[in-house]
Amino acid sequence: MENQPHLKAIDLRRSFQIGPRKVDVLKGIDLEIRRGESVFLCGASGAGKTTLLYTLAGLEQPESGQVIFEGDVLYAQGDAAEARRRNQRIGFVFQGYFLLPELTAFENVLLPCMIAGESKGTSRDRVEAILEKVGLADRLHHLPAELSGGEQQRVAIARSLMNDPSILFADEPTGNLDSKTGAAIVELLLSVVREKERTLVVVTHDPNLALRGERRLEIQDGKIVG
Ligand SMILES: Nc1ncnc2c1ncn2[C@@H]1O[C@H](COP(=O)(O)OP(=O)(O)OP(=O)(O)O)[C@@H](O)[C@H]1O
Ligand SMILES: [Mg+2]
């Protein structure tokens, strides 16, 4: 158990049909990530970084190949069981935040607990504590439109941590931010994973940020290189 990788991908393949043309995006991806490791995944725009991250996180099934997470094969169970796994064991920070615009910071972060069936009373203190941890104690009741890009990203990170996942995926978490705010977001991600020995997989096209992780992978022509 201890020696097995936290996340393992075996020969992942995925293509998209665009009109008459079939585009192969993942052409046989193999990788192993240890528990507690911080991995930065780089690659050109359109190289397949988001596709790979979704596949690894249980959000999109590959055409062939396997993802093994904590010893379990992903996509092997029914939809309800896979949804529960995503809600409770996997954290995801989406490219472009994906906050619900009509909900406050507090309510956006509360959402995963409501989905998990917790009462609002039980989760309230935890939501406040986690928003405080990401530096938003005085922004609890702001709507996303009333927050800066860096603050919205902090809300998205807080939301991804609510159910205490063992692995955190982040897709271009600094993509829309200036370099100083972006560097602070990466430091925040690294600190929240270190604290509980979580595993971190971050997609970025910024090679300077990628140097902050323990390992850098690059996706090129549908495969992992280097
Ligand atoms: N749902 C889809 N339908 C058709 N093609 C898709 C779909 N999703 C992705 N693709 C194609 O797959 C390729 C890889 O897309 P992906 O979003 O994974 O790239 P990316 O590396 O994350 O790019 P970026 O850095 O711009 O976010 C692109 O050529 C894209 O057009
Ligand atoms: Mg992308």
Side-chain angles (χ1 to χ4, degrees):
M1 187 71 186
E2 279 310 299
N3 290 328
Q4 82 184 4
H6 196 185
L7 182 73
K8 182 172 180 172
I10 306 166
D11 198 25
L12 296 180
R13 291 170 190 271
R14 180 82 202 261
S15 59
F16 293 103
Q17 190 76 39
I18 303 167
R21 214 162 64 93
K22 183 163 156 276
V23 180
D24 296 320
V25 176
L26 307 181
K27 300 185 191 172
I29 300 273
D30 294 286
L31 58 86
E32 286 193 10
I33 297 175
R34 282 179 288 116
R35 189 175 284 274
E37 203 171 18
S38 295
V39 177
F40 280 65
L41 176 67
C42 302
S45 184
K49 304 184 294 298
T50 297
T51 306
L52 177 57
L53 213 59
Y54 276 34
T55 309
L56 294 175
L59 292 164
E60 272 189 24
Q61 188 162 8
E63 273 149 28
S64 66
Q66 270 190 340
V67 182
I68 300 166
F69 171 62
E70 298 184 336
D72 289 345
V73 179
L74 293 192
Y75 308 105
Q77 300 182 35
D79 287 351
E82 293 296 342
R84 202 173 318 118
R85 190 203 318 270
R86 286 196 302 273
N87 176 245
Q88 307 196 334
R89 288 158 70 189
I90 297 174
F92 204 99
V93 180
F94 292 91
Q95 189 163 16
Y97 322 136
F98 271 24
L99 299 175
L100 295 181
E102 68 278 21
L103 299 185
T104 63
F106 180 90
E107 291 164 339
N108 265 287
V109 176
L110 183 65
L111 213 53
C113 309
M114 309 287 278
I115 290 168
E118 261 179 62
S119 78
K120 195 170 170 182
T122 327
S123 331
R124 169 162 224 112
D125 291 349
R126 231 156 21 93
V127 173
E128 288 185 7
I130 219 151
L131 278 164
E132 187 171 336
K133 192 201 299 283
V134 301
L136 293 177
D138 53 356
R139 295 283 188 281
L140 299 184
H141 304 296
H142 287 234
L143 294 170
E146 299 165 344
L147 297 169
S148 71
E151 288 169 343
Q152 289 181 58
Q153 191 58 286
R154 285 170 194 274
V155 175
I157 292 169
R159 178 181 56 186
S160 76
L161 294 173
M162 259 325 273
N163 289 339
D164 198 18
S166 64
I167 191 164
L168 191 60
F169 295 92
D171 192 359
E172 299 274 8
T174 66
N176 303 322
L177 306 174
D178 64 77
S179 60
K180 186 157 161 266
T181 311
I185 289 291
V186 167
E187 288 312 315
L188 174 65
L189 284 169
L190 289 169
S191 77
V192 297
V193 296
R194 266 190 220 116
E195 185 181 30
K196 291 199 175 172
E197 229 207 330
R198 293 178 171 117
T199 304
L200 178 67
V201 187
V202 180
V203 158
T204 179
H205 56 238
D206 183 339
N208 289 325
L209 285 181
L211 294 174
R212 307 282 309 133
E214 288 154 10
R215 212 167 125 201
R216 182 175 170 276
L217 300 174
E218 183 158 350
I219 179 166
Q220 223 180 68
D221 195 25
K223 296 199 176 225
I224 297 287
V225 296

